[in-house]
Amino acid sequence: MLTLLAALLIPAISIGQVQQTDERTKLPSGDQSRAQNVFVEVGGQGLLFTANYDTRFSNKRNGLGGRAGIGYIAIDGDHVTTVPIGLNYLLGTGKHLFEVGLGATVIAAGGDDFSLFDEEASNVLGTMSFTYRLQPVNSGFAFRAGLTPIFGKGFFIPYYAGLSLGYTF
């Protein structure tokens, strides 16, 4: 009798756990809201270390969106400011998404011995993103990691990468 009771209860508890997990990854019907993120990024489209804002353009958790950020670093009198902006598209449902994006990063540099660009070179670099994004369905900790190729006049760096931590609301 005890074995029969255990055989009936264990699958019922397991099914309840699966249903509870599924409910946490889906938005309730009619409760769609656009995903917005704030995050700090190392590497990536901001090149160095940046603070960023990302949002969707419609009331969806995936789809077309954009990002903008700013970064600054100063070492021994030299300084660099980066401003990444871009469009991205999130593929997937629930909290696991794949991001594909295209953007540009404006670079302003200066200092005593700093000569990153000659006077004829552009201070705008093209960027792409091919990243995994862990973005909670409602709100909470967000994570991004992946390849962010960089290109400019006469060069292409296909294996540049980025990592970001942030918050989705």
Side-chain angles (χ1 to χ4, degrees):
M1 178 70 172
L2 188 56
T3 306
L4 179 60
L5 184 59
L8 293 174
L9 285 178
I10 291 174
I13 292 170
S14 298
I15 291 170
Q17 288 295 326
V18 170
Q19 288 174 344
Q20 181 181 7
T21 301
D22 289 345
E23 292 303 316
R24 286 184 285 169
T25 60
K26 295 179 184 174
L27 284 174
S29 171
D31 189 21
Q32 298 289 321
S33 65
R34 70 183 176 149
Q36 299 178 73
N37 294 285
V38 290
F39 58 92
V40 292
E41 182 175 46
V42 176
Q45 291 176 294
L47 306 179
L48 303 169
F49 181 77
T50 55
N52 299 272
Y53 172 75
D54 179 282
T55 187
R56 301 299 93 212
F57 294 146
S58 64
N59 284 337
K60 294 172 46 175
R61 306 301 288 172
N62 57 11
L64 186 63
R67 69 168 282 171
I70 188 162
Y72 179 82
I73 189 168
I75 300 173
D76 295 331
D78 298 327
H79 59 275
V80 177
T81 301
T82 60
V83 180
I85 56 171
L87 293 174
N88 54 45
Y89 194 88
L90 297 182
L91 301 161
T93 58
K95 63 183 179 178
H96 300 283
L97 302 163
F98 182 71
E99 174 185 323
V100 178
L102 185 62
T105 299
V106 178
I107 302 171
D112 300 332
D113 298 322
F114 200 86
S115 58
L116 180 63
F117 300 104
D118 62 28
E119 293 179 10
E120 296 180 17
S122 172
N123 62 345
V124 178
L125 299 178
T127 61
M128 295 183 271
S129 68
F130 303 98
T131 61
Y132 165 76
R133 184 185 286 204
L134 174 65
Q135 176 177 282
V137 174
N138 295 313
S139 65
F141 170 77
F143 169 82
R144 293 171 61 247
L147 292 176
T148 55
I150 299 170
F151 56 94
K153 185 176 181 181
F155 77 92
F156 178 67
I157 303 172
Y159 299 114
Y160 196 71
L163 175 74
S164 70
L165 304 173
Y167 187 80
T168 298
F169 54 99

